[in-house]
Amino acid sequence: MNIGAEEEFQQMLQEIEEQFVDPTENTPVRAVDFVKWLNPKPLLDVLKSKYPYFEYIKQRFEPRMRFFAYMLLSGKKNLRQAYLSLTEEEYISLGFECKPTYELLREFIYERIGVECFPEVFKQILRELVSLLKRRNIHLGKHVFQDATDVRSLKHDQEAKYSGYYKHSGYKLDVTLDAEHDIPLCYIPMELTSDEGQNLVPSQRYLAGLGLIEKERVVDDKYATFPNIACSELNNVSLFYKIAENWVPKKEGDPKEIKRLYQKYHKEDDFVVNPSLDFMLRYLYRKEEYEAVGGFFRNQRMEQAESDSEEYKKKCKKRSSHMEGFFGRVKNTTLLDDRPCKRGWKGFLFRAGTAMLTLVFAALIRVQNGITCHLTNVTYIT
């Protein structure tokens, strides 16, 4: 083989070796070999406020962001374990010129990004995911599930609350999940005794801020308050929820009662004569007549659940089993439910943030490299 042919052969071998491999059961991939395919450029703007001369030095942050993704996806317990697990050659594969110092990475992750900035990194990754998938005619956020899970705290955690319902102390994580692609679209850390129902409207606003057009949300009955139902339905989001056994049709939600209640405002300047039912519902919602407006829509949903009982139950059970499986996988494959290293609310914010970032980093790397299925599966990233 002549010299030219030998060089061409070696280049071909290199191209084969450098081909992206999607981690699956048949082809597990080391975390460092997976994250080196991350294009971090679209994420770097979250660091603008952290560095005065950002525009001049932003290229330095590309390998550091890859290392941050490695720390999460490798499943290492902490930054030091992740730092010591890589050779100089592997650091170079992430884009560093040589092995960086531990202090450089510690300062970047814990001080420049910091746990307070995790939600902004999460949101920036989602923006990029939404944009890339839209080009492939895949639209996130049309059908979503929402639920919360409890997370135990360490003993003697003074900031954790005890719950008689869960029978332990800890915290709670509320997640809005894309029902078709298993991508978390919003996460809200909570006290264990807080009411997750209060998270529904903020979650919907968050999704709207990402440019997502939500069509259907399935929740359990804790989220099905009259204000939540009214807000969802008036914003063209079909809200489905388990019908509680003690619910009865809401008298205030009857169309005749809606009209009677509307007439109460006949002296108001914005009162309109002979309005449509839709106008009256929106008007009364603005007047904070939530029981009437929410009751109207809940009555309709109760009628639907009665007339098409099997299909309605099937929809609600699908959400329940899907979210249970999702939280189970997250607790098994991320640091969310692992033995926490730190007590307190900030420690929980770190665990919740890293768990959600682990999933969306995995999704982003796959989508950037042409994969559009099992996006958040991290089981086979070793």
Side-chain angles (χ1 to χ4, degrees):
M1 185 181 294
N2 58 42
I3 295 177
E6 174 67 20
E7 290 178 350
E8 184 177 341
F9 178 70
Q10 291 299 328
Q11 183 178 355
M12 182 183 71
L13 288 179
Q14 185 175 359
E15 289 175 355
I16 293 173
E17 290 174 358
E18 290 299 313
Q19 194 172 24
F20 176 78
V21 177
D22 180 29
T24 64
E25 182 177 8
N26 295 325
T27 56
V29 176
R30 295 191 311 149
V32 66
D33 294 325
F34 182 66
V35 301
K36 71 181 182 182
W37 292 92
L38 170 67
N39 174 13
K41 289 181 182 179
L43 313 181
L44 298 183
D45 279 355
V46 298
L47 299 168
K48 271 186 177 180
S49 63
K50 308 287 185 176
Y51 294 92
Y53 303 103
F54 172 80
E55 293 298 334
Y56 299 99
I57 60 176
K58 61 183 179 182
Q59 284 187 329
R60 301 178 189 176
F61 307 135
E62 292 181 24
R64 299 180 200 180
M65 190 64 81
R66 289 194 191 97
F67 177 81
F68 181 41
Y70 168 75
M71 184 185 84
L72 302 176
L73 286 160
S74 65
K76 304 301 181 188
K77 300 287 186 182
N78 51 52
L79 173 61
R80 181 165 293 279
Q81 281 190 14
Y83 175 75
L84 296 174
S85 68
L86 295 179
T87 65
E88 182 166 13
E89 184 179 352
E90 287 168 334
Y91 275 108
I92 291 172
S93 76
L94 297 181
F96 293 97
E97 292 183 358
C98 59
K99 183 173 182 175
T101 64
Y102 173 80
E103 178 57 26
L104 178 79
L105 297 176
R106 187 205 63 78
E107 188 251 6
F108 177 74
I109 292 174
Y110 289 148
E111 294 182 18
R112 298 296 184 168
I113 296 180
V115 68
E116 297 83 2
C117 196
F118 282 5
E120 188 54 40
V121 178
F122 177 84
K123 191 172 188 178
Q124 192 70 8
I125 293 174
L126 280 180
R127 289 193 188 106
E128 185 64 11
L129 273 172
V130 169
S131 175
L132 291 174
L133 288 171
K134 193 175 290 184
R135 295 176 199 172
R136 295 173 174 269
N137 202 31
I138 297 174
H139 301 277
L140 295 178
K142 289 194 297 183
H143 304 280
V144 303
F145 298 144
Q146 185 175 8
D147 204 356
T149 188
D150 60 303
V151 180
R152 289 177 178 271
S153 61
L154 284 171
K155 289 183 178 180
H156 312 301
D157 185 337
Q158 298 300 315
E159 296 181 50
K161 295 287 196 303
Y162 176 81
S163 166
Y165 177 80
Y166 293 109
K167 308 297 183 186
H168 66 77
S169 297
Y171 303 93
K172 193 155 52 176
L173 178 64
D174 187 283
V175 175
T176 302
L177 186 72
D178 184 281
E180 298 174 58
H181 303 95
D182 253 14
I183 296 176
L185 301 176
C186 176
Y187 75 94
I188 302 175
M190 308 168 60
E191 292 184 344
L192 189 59
T193 54
S194 295
D195 172 25
E196 54 259 46
Q198 66 188 349
N199 297 326
L200 187 140
V201 173
S203 168
Q204 291 182 332
R205 290 174 179 164
Y206 185 91
L207 267 58
L210 290 169
L212 304 180
I213 301 175
E214 185 180 344
K215 297 294 184 183
E216 179 183 284
R217 180 176 293 238
V218 189
V219 296
D220 65 27
D221 54 1
K222 293 190 294 292
Y223 295 89
T225 64
F226 290 123
N228 284 348
I229 294 170
C231 181
S232 297
E233 300 290 350
L234 290 177
N235 283 288
N236 301 314
V237 177
S238 296
L239 190 67
F240 291 88
Y241 36 86
K242 180 183 177 182
I243 305 299
E245 292 182 5
N246 62 335
W247 285 359
V248 295
K250 192 73 174 173
K251 181 182 176 182
E252 294 88 338
D254 184 274
K256 291 180 181 178
E257 294 296 325
I258 294 290
K259 189 172 183 178
R260 185 177 294 123
L261 181 59
Y262 175 72
Q263 292 298 322
K264 188 177 80 171
Y265 296 95
H266 69 279
K267 292 184 179 180
E268 299 286 334
D269 293 337
D270 55 353
F271 184 83
V272 173
V273 178
N274 296 324
S276 66
L277 177 59
D278 180 72
F279 181 91
M280 287 189 289
L281 290 168
R282 294 180 185 279
Y283 185 92
L284 292 173
Y285 180 79
R286 291 196 298 273
K287 298 297 184 182
E288 299 186 357
E289 300 283 2
Y290 299 133
E291 285 207 21
V293 180
F296 170 80
F297 289 111
R298 196 183 80 174
N299 288 350
Q300 288 189 324
R301 201 62 77 201
M302 289 174 70
E303 289 176 10
Q304 180 184 359
E306 186 175 351
S307 63
D308 194 3
S309 177
E310 290 305 314
E311 191 61 32
Y312 195 92
K313 287 180 180 178
K314 182 179 177 182
K315 184 184 288 286
C316 293
K317 285 181 179 179
K318 181 179 179 181
R319 180 214 64 88
S320 179
S321 61
H322 195 103
M323 291 303 296
E324 185 178 337
F326 169 78
F327 283 129
R329 289 192 299 276
V330 171
K331 290 179 178 182
N332 283 331
T333 58
T334 73
L335 299 181
L336 179 63
D337 207 33
D338 202 357
R339 182 171 178 81
C341 299
K342 295 182 180 178
R343 293 180 174 85
W345 176 247
K346 194 168 183 179
F348 175 64
L349 291 182
F350 181 84
R351 285 190 286 153
T354 55
M356 295 297 101
L357 282 169
T358 298
L359 302 183
V360 293
F361 262 126
L364 179 60
I365 294 169
R366 283 189 168 102
V367 173
Q368 284 181 337
N369 290 279
I371 307 297
T372 57
C373 56
H374 53 263
L375 295 176
T376 58
N377 188 328
V378 297
T379 304
Y380 305 109
I381 300 173
T382 61

